Amino acid sequence: MTLKRYIALVIGNSHYDEDYYKNLANPLNEADAIACVFSKLKYEVIIRKDLTYKEYVTTFDHFLQKIQDAKADAAIIYFAGHGLNINAQDCLIMKDTPSYEMGKVGIIDLSVPINKICQNLNAVGNQLNIIIIDACRNDPNQTVRGLASTQEASLFGMGTTNHLPYQTFIAYSTGNSCSFIISANTLFKEYKQE
């Protein structure tokens, strides 16, 4: 059976409460652009910007419920903003995540581990999962996004700590975000469920 129902969650975080995380110029525009492309491809799109941790939890729960209710064929998450590897956990930074100077526990409690996203997606259905991460690497004050120069420094450098559910793909940011959309759309057309 060919994939028919795609549900996408698009998040762009540009502004942060803590000065430790420098504000980013592009994530809001990137989120709008990606959401526009997904909409033109007839995906159901939930777009959110500058989310606090609590707002993220509410939005993600709503997203998971939509996947489950619709028995979606594919779930897509696009995130643009800051990311950190904390205690060998890859985390997405929300608007109100405490600074690194406040301690690792506070960051983990108010950020979003990639493993948890994967576990939750795996729990709601048998859909194809695509996670697109356009996030800063290394120091939180770095404003350049893309692949890090070393495996240890990358957001997903600790590959053994990321437990991907079956049928899950993670894409890193590149110089051209549109390449993700083309690749994902091609993948959807070619993917078949038994």
Side-chain angles (χ1 to χ4, degrees), residues 32-193:
D32 284 335
I34 294 292
C36 181
V37 172
F38 283 158
S39 294
K40 287 179 180 178
L41 293 170
K42 307 298 185 197
Y43 304 169
E44 182 176 348
V45 179
I46 300 167
I47 181 170
R48 298 291 185 270
K49 300 174 185 177
D50 287 338
L51 291 181
T52 63
Y53 178 78
K54 185 175 180 180
E55 290 168 341
Y56 165 81
V57 169
T58 301
T59 299
F60 192 67
D61 286 347
H62 175 65
F63 176 61
L64 292 175
Q65 191 63 53
K66 277 188 167 290
I67 294 168
Q68 194 167 31
D69 291 348
K71 294 182 173 40
D73 297 294
I76 309 159
I77 296 174
Y78 173 87
F79 175 85
H82 281 295
L84 281 175
N85 187 292
I86 307 157
N87 290 344
Q89 292 189 68
D90 303 324
C91 300
L92 305 179
I93 303 302
M94 296 298 116
K95 179 178 175 16
D96 59 346
T97 300
S99 74
Y100 204 80
E101 295 153 343
M102 298 297 289
K104 294 180 181 179
V105 174
I107 298 176
I108 292 172
D109 287 346
L110 291 174
S111 63
V112 183
I114 299 297
N115 282 341
K116 188 171 182 181
I117 292 173
C118 292
Q119 290 164 5
N120 289 334
L121 288 172
N122 197 35
V124 296
N126 191 36
Q127 72 283 343
L128 175 69
N129 302 308
I130 296 180
I131 303 171
I132 303 169
I133 305 296
D134 189 0
C136 296
R137 278 22 176 217
N138 306 327
D139 189 297
N141 291 300
Q142 175 180 321
T143 56
V144 176
R145 295 198 306 276
L147 293 174
S149 58
T150 66
Q151 184 181 18
E152 293 78 12
S154 76
L155 183 61
F156 294 99
M158 304 295 286
T160 57
T161 67
N162 293 309
H163 306 291
L164 301 184
Y166 181 63
Q167 298 177 177
T168 297
F169 301 87
I170 294 181
Y172 293 91
S173 59
T174 66
N176 181 1
S177 297
C178 293
S179 64
F180 288 129
I181 308 306
I182 295 166
S183 299
N185 195 39
T186 301
L187 177 62
F188 292 157
K189 288 178 180 176
E190 293 175 355
Y191 176 79
K192 306 278 185 183
Q193 287 184 337

